Amino acid sequence: MSTPITRRAWLATAVQQEPAPVTTHRAAELLAASPWPTSGRNTARKDLRALAARGVLAAVDTDGRRTYTTTTPERSAA
């Protein structure tokens, strides 16, 4: 029997597969195509912030905009 994945775990995996840092807008788009399609922008923002607080994602401020990227070595090696 498989273990169900949480929305935040799903989002973390999706962000890790993105070629560029992810904005809240992009995270909301990713969630719209997820098993949780009714998740909106506020949910995406809170999930990104929670994942960054846990060290799964890194928050980066560039030109007054916050983006999120993975903290795994695979991403920095690419």
Side-chain angles (χ1 to χ4, degrees), residues 5-60:
I5 190 168
T6 65
R7 184 185 67 237
R8 287 182 178 167
W10 188 94
L11 182 58
T13 301
V15 169
Q16 290 172 355
Q17 296 173 357
E18 287 291 298
V22 172
T23 62
T24 300
H25 177 79
R26 179 64 183 139
E29 290 177 340
L30 291 170
L31 286 173
S34 77
W36 301 272
T38 58
S39 300
R41 179 177 172 81
N42 195 42
T43 299
R45 181 181 55 79
K46 288 179 180 180
D47 286 351
L48 289 170
R49 188 185 304 161
L51 289 168
R54 290 183 178 99
V56 177
L57 299 178
V60 179

